[in-house]
Amino acid sequence: MKKILNYIGGALVEPQNGIFFENIDPSRGIAYSLIPDSNQNDVDAAVNAAKMAFPSWSSTPAAARSAIMVRIADLIAKNAEALARAESIDNGKPLSLARVMDIPRAEDNIRFFGTAILHWSSEAHIMENSGINYTNRKPIGVVGCISPWNLPLYLFTWKIAPAIAAGNCVVAKPSEITPMSAFLFSELCIEAGLPAGVLNIVHGYGPSAGEAIITHAGVKAISFTGGTATGARIAAKAAPEFKKLSLELGGKNPNVIFADCDFEKMLRQTLRSSFTNQGQICLCGSRIIIERPIYEKFKEAFVEKVQNMKIGDPLDDETKTGAVVSEAHMNKILSYIELAKQEGGKILCGGERCYPGGELNNGYYIKPTVIEGLGPECRTNREEIFGPVVTIQVFDTEEEALQLANATEYGLAASLWTSDLNRAHRFASKIESGIVWVNTWLMRDLRTPFGGVKNSGVGREGGWEALRFFTEAQNVCIDFTP
Ligand code: NDP
């Protein structure tokens, strides 16, 4: 079986303990490669390599850093099909989705920050007739980047790119559930001539390899995307050492639909926002909240479309709905469907595991599920399920819609469907979430601030926000009075 290797000090190496564990293809439920079971020793080696690379990388001119990053982006484009296949096999997502979303976005991330750094400037604050302050933005040093399994290379590069563009050296860990694209990426970094130690990738389990990065004294900042419980643990570990933290965590996003919306567009996009990547995107709208006059019409049209969604082999070009990421995650989703029934929810469609036939019967598939009849107090409507499961709720007034939208501990993203411009602005400003889409979903501009409020995270990624996170601001004040 193919062995995934760590990328440390510019070389691809086995874990020091020589231990590997199996990587499972969730579409078939079979092991197909081996993952290093890295621990503290590998993280120590990675941090040392990063420390050694830092003086040179941080003083490399931005134009030279940029040129290397652009070469990496070009190599992602050149190897897009192989990367998309790797992502699909590792994650269970349709190859057709990885081709248009995951891999192009990974390329964009590297190119965006690799060129943004050429336009990065710092502020000056003039004190009338007396002095001038300017802000020196310096790279932090060695930083840790930890990412989840749902959009593996997309989120991995979203962190690494601003970190290295700003002159830091990185120790990164992809999710152990989906490590293959990060491994292929390390090969591309070598081919592009990224200097040894600038990026180090350590594979392994979160509690061992991940936590070793978080707690390492040499790691000065941590950018983490993952679940809220893991984020809380990381924050507790990092706080005593005053490490800089960016936490992008879970969501339970509302999709609020007013009767005056463009119904057909809303319906198309609501299918996307509910079930893209089998509902395993932190931005998916899992609570659909509909104004009463169109509730029945929506329900009928939506359920019909959901029932027609065909689950199939992720590697088949025609497949739009693939497997969920693992057996454990499938069981978690199914347990939430059981909970929804116990809470009095009515399953309008789906609600069970799916066996697509042949060797896929050993894979982890769940029928897209729509649940009705649960209020905002139910756990089904409060806790993140992170699968192909949505609930529908009805409202009568704008005030009630807002209460329903805000009735969770999360606050990542919201979608709003209306043709009333005043209402769109009014409602958007009152929704407790870091991102609001009006009459669309997942329309992304990489320059915009990205992140959540409440239990969905701390800090913002994207554009200058990310470059600010990965630099320390130093104010230099000059007195020019005689
Ligand atoms: P987890 O929190 O389980 O894991 C995220 C990453 O952290 C993985 O690489 C994991 O490693 C690692 N990890 C786990 N425990 C520790 C630890 N103690 N110390 C350091 N690292 C650790 O999340 P999932 O991978 O299950 O991802 C799904 C979650 O991510 C959902 O809640 C989703 O909403 C959220 N998410 C948020 C996004 C956002 O932008 N806000 C975007 C995408 C997802 P390993 O898997 O190898 O154990």
Side-chain angles (χ1 to χ4, degrees):
M1 254 192 282
K2 183 178 173 120
K3 270 185 181 172
I4 287 172
L5 297 172
N6 289 334
Y7 172 44
I8 297 177
L12 299 173
V13 292
E14 296 205 351
Q16 292 184 24
N17 59 15
I19 301 174
F20 288 80
F21 58 95
E22 289 181 336
N23 189 18
I24 308 292
D25 166 358
S27 72
R28 287 158 173 78
I30 48 163
Y32 82 101
S33 62
L34 294 171
I35 309 168
D37 187 1
S38 309
N39 62 24
Q40 183 75 51
N41 294 334
D42 304 288
V43 170
D44 286 347
V47 174
N48 283 340
K51 270 188 190 160
M52 278 172 59
F54 181 69
S56 164
W57 182 247
S58 57
S59 55
T60 298
R65 293 202 299 267
S66 171
I68 295 171
M69 291 184 70
V70 168
R71 277 206 296 278
I72 297 173
D74 290 345
L75 284 170
I76 294 177
K78 195 172 149 197
N79 293 278
E81 183 62 16
L83 288 164
R85 284 186 76 82
E87 211 71 302
S88 172
I89 293 168
D90 237 8
N91 176 278
K93 69 176 67 207
L95 175 59
S96 59
L97 181 70
R99 277 185 187 136
V100 298
M101 186 167 82
D102 296 72
I103 307 308
R105 176 58 192 277
E107 179 197 340
D108 284 351
N109 289 339
I110 302 283
R111 206 179 294 286
F112 176 83
F113 285 109
T115 50
I117 200 65
L118 300 174
H119 308 275
W120 174 234
S121 59
S122 62
E123 314 90 85
H125 299 89
I126 317 293
M127 303 165 81
E128 280 173 24
N129 304 322
S130 61
I132 180 169
N133 300 271
Y134 64 87
T135 311
N136 210 355
R137 288 200 176 268
K138 302 193 283 189
I140 297 169
V142 179
V143 301
C145 297
I146 297 190
S147 55
W149 48 258
N150 63 326
L151 301 169
L153 194 61
Y154 173 132
L155 289 172
F156 197 57
T157 51
W158 180 233
K159 300 183 171 307
I160 290 167
I164 63 175
N168 300 283
C169 293
V170 174
V171 178
K173 193 192 90 62
S175 170
E176 118 268 342
I177 301 166
T178 54
M180 186 58 85
S181 57
F183 172 57
L184 300 180
F185 178 71
S186 56
E187 294 179 325
L188 300 183
C189 290
I190 294 171
E191 190 179 340
L194 187 69
V198 171
L199 171 63
N200 304 275
I201 301 176
V202 181
H203 295 274
Y205 291 109
S208 45
E211 203 147 315
I213 297 174
I214 304 299
T215 52
H216 200 294
V219 175
K220 302 297 177 197
I222 293 147
S223 175
F224 170 80
T225 298
T228 295
T230 317
R233 183 174 172 84
I234 287 174
K237 295 265 168 194
E241 294 189 49
F242 307 108
K243 295 186 185 201
K244 220 174 165 185
L245 267 187
S246 167
L247 301 174
E248 297 292 339
L249 308 176
K252 186 73 181 176
N253 307 309
N255 180 6
V256 182
I257 301 169
F258 286 92
D260 63 2
C261 69
D262 173 341
F263 190 85
E264 291 306 319
K265 183 180 177 195
M266 174 277 297
L267 194 59
R268 273 195 316 276
Q269 293 288 334
T270 295
L271 271 179
R272 272 185 73 228
S273 66
S274 303
F275 299 116
T276 301
N277 209 35
Q278 294 69 249
Q280 300 165 127
I281 299 183
C282 53
L283 306 164
C284 279
S286 53
R287 295 179 298 131
I288 307 176
I289 300 167
I290 309 133
E291 196 170 10
R292 193 173 303 275
I294 60 163
Y295 183 81
E296 290 300 328
K297 178 183 172 190
F298 171 82
K299 182 169 112 179
E300 196 180 317
F302 185 63
V303 169
E304 189 192 329
K305 286 206 181 300
V306 175
Q307 279 170 329
N308 286 334
M309 288 172 67
K310 196 173 157 298
I311 295 176
D313 185 346
L315 291 177
D316 184 336
D317 279 344
E318 301 303 311
T319 296
K320 298 279 183 290
T321 306
V324 298
V325 77
S326 68
E327 186 172 19
H329 192 57
M330 175 183 72
N331 289 335
K332 179 191 149 186
I333 298 167
L334 292 172
S335 75
Y336 268 105
I337 294 171
E338 282 312 305
L339 173 73
K341 289 182 198 162
Q342 284 162 21
E343 289 185 313
K346 182 174 170 200
I347 310 292
L348 298 178
C349 62
E352 58 187 1
R353 186 173 176 177
C354 165
Y355 298 91
E359 56 181 356
L360 301 183
N361 280 351
N362 294 323
Y364 316 125
Y365 299 86
I366 294 181
K367 292 182 184 167
T369 301
V370 182
I371 303 170
E372 179 187 43
L374 295 176
E377 69 291 342
C378 292
R379 281 179 58 204
T380 310
N381 272 325
R382 302 187 87 87
E383 297 178 15
E384 185 183 44
I385 300 173
F386 214 55
V389 179
V390 296
T391 62
I392 56 175
Q393 299 174 73
V394 66
F395 70 87
D396 289 299
T397 64
E398 198 175 307
E399 184 59 28
E400 194 188 347
L402 190 65
Q403 275 173 13
L404 288 173
N406 289 339
T408 74
E409 294 304 314
Y410 292 103
L412 185 56
S415 285
L416 174 57
W417 291 91
T418 179
S419 56
D420 179 336
L421 190 59
N422 292 338
R423 173 156 59 202
H425 289 297
R426 188 169 61 236
F427 203 88
S429 71
K430 291 182 190 158
I431 290 190
E432 294 164 359
S433 78
I435 299 152
V436 182
W437 280 294
V438 179
N439 297 331
T440 187
W441 178 72
L442 198 45
M443 188 170 174
R444 291 281 289 120
D445 178 330
L446 302 190
R447 295 168 300 178
T448 58
F450 178 92
V453 299
K454 299 183 353 191
N455 287 1
S456 289
V458 178
R460 292 292 178 273
E461 296 185 324
W464 300 143
E465 301 277 350
L467 291 176
R468 284 195 196 102
F469 174 76
F470 283 115
T471 50
E472 286 289 6
Q474 175 191 50
N475 188 60
V476 179
C477 178
I478 301 161
D479 181 344
F480 58 61
T481 54

